[in-house]
Amino acid sequence: MITTGPTNRRHGKIAYLTFDDGPSKYTNQILDILKKHNIQATFFVVGNPTPYGLRMYRKLKRLGHGIGNHTYSHHFERIYRSSTDFFNDFYRLERFIQRVIGVRTRLFRFPGGSNTQLGYNIGGRRTMESIKRKLGARGYRYCDWTIDSQDSLLPRPTPREITAKVLRESKYQQHCIILCHDFSERSLLALPAIILGLKKQGYRFEKLSTRSYNYQIKEG
């Protein structure tokens, strides 16, 4: 079953570029491409206390991009073991981001997505359902995606294949949330063509927020 947030078709087609697991190797170059095209995206970040990581958090804030919590460790065996383990890791990142850039985000993306089979296998369905309920009760909003660039698959797709998949699937959507990863050089190389292709399809770009269009994949 799929649920989506509110939309307003009078505002036209909207694309939400999202990047997970950063700050990573290619975050800075991705940010430079987005700046060149005057586009704001959403970055679901993990914990990276290195000097480079700290610079990237600050650059994300300075450029006005959306920032979402993606847990501190992104370690499936740890975060999905129990609700307590999950929120320990979740709040660790929240405190870290607040300390580094003074931002407390209400956006969250589950590592692997909100319907990840790995999560169910590790902690059981009751644990995953409990986490989702508690997130909502505490004022957080979790976001999945409508288009997976598949840049994290092995073997890695080529930039051309990533671009073709995103633009093929975006043809049939009014609002699309596109999943990419900061660590993917293939997505970095594909990004300019994706942006131009989406513009040709009539899309404009926005960042996710607690009031924007949303998409959540629920257990079917």
Side-chain angles (χ1 to χ4, degrees):
M1 182 183 299
I2 297 172
T3 63
T4 60
T7 64
N8 188 335
R9 291 181 178 271
R10 292 178 299 174
H11 290 171
K13 300 170 72 173
I14 303 175
Y16 301 88
L17 292 171
T18 69
F19 298 88
D20 286 11
D21 300 358
S24 297
K25 182 177 181 179
Y26 300 108
T27 304
N28 193 49
Q29 291 165 271
I30 289 169
L31 289 174
D32 289 343
I33 292 172
L34 294 172
K35 182 178 180 181
K36 177 181 177 181
H37 291 273
N38 195 30
I39 288 172
Q40 290 186 329
T42 307
F43 289 77
F44 288 94
V45 300
V46 297
N48 184 344
T50 67
Y52 171 79
L54 299 180
R55 289 198 305 272
M56 290 304 100
Y57 295 121
R58 293 174 181 131
K59 188 170 182 177
L60 285 169
K61 180 182 179 182
R62 185 173 71 251
L63 294 177
H65 294 288
I67 298 173
N69 189 324
H70 200 42
T71 72
Y72 190 94
S73 70
H74 200 279
H75 192 286
F76 282 53
E77 293 290 339
R78 178 183 305 161
I79 63 176
Y80 293 136
R81 187 168 46 200
S82 70
S83 177
T84 298
D85 289 314
F86 172 86
F87 280 103
N88 284 340
D89 206 81
F90 176 89
Y91 285 125
R92 183 185 179 190
L93 182 73
E94 181 173 278
R95 291 191 299 269
F96 176 72
I97 294 299
Q98 282 186 285
R99 186 169 68 251
V100 174
I101 56 175
V103 169
R104 184 186 182 192
T105 179
R106 290 291 179 174
L107 292 176
F108 174 70
R109 176 170 282 166
F110 284 90
S114 66
N115 198 32
T116 174
Q117 189 60 47
L118 283 171
Y120 294 139
N121 291 343
I122 294 166
R125 293 187 179 274
R126 287 186 179 180
T127 295
M128 291 294 291
E129 291 166 0
S130 172
I131 291 169
K132 292 175 186 178
R133 286 195 303 270
K134 290 176 181 177
L135 282 169
R138 297 175 188 183
Y140 297 97
R141 190 186 203 197
Y142 66 87
C143 310
D144 288 313
W145 52 86
T146 68
I147 299 176
D148 184 353
S149 70
Q150 296 186 334
D151 60 357
S152 64
L153 293 184
L154 293 174
R156 303 295 190 204
T158 66
R160 185 184 296 271
E161 289 170 337
I162 289 173
T163 302
K165 183 178 189 298
V166 171
L167 297 182
R168 180 174 62 251
E169 295 184 15
S170 62
K171 289 180 181 179
Y172 307 103
Q173 300 183 30
Q174 184 75 10
H175 298 75
C176 60
I177 302 174
I178 302 162
L179 170 65
C180 300
H181 293 82
D182 293 34
F183 60 71
S184 172
E185 183 181 20
R186 309 299 176 89
S187 276
L188 169 68
L189 296 174
L191 186 55
I194 289 173
I195 291 171
L196 293 175
L198 289 170
K199 286 182 176 179
K200 287 181 180 178
Q201 290 182 8
Y203 280 97
R204 61 186 175 86
F205 297 86
E206 291 187 3
K207 60 184 178 181
L208 292 171
S209 73
T210 55
R211 301 183 64 183
S212 71
Y213 169 80
N214 192 22
Y215 183 92
Q216 297 173 351
I217 302 173
K218 292 193 174 181
E219 181 182 356

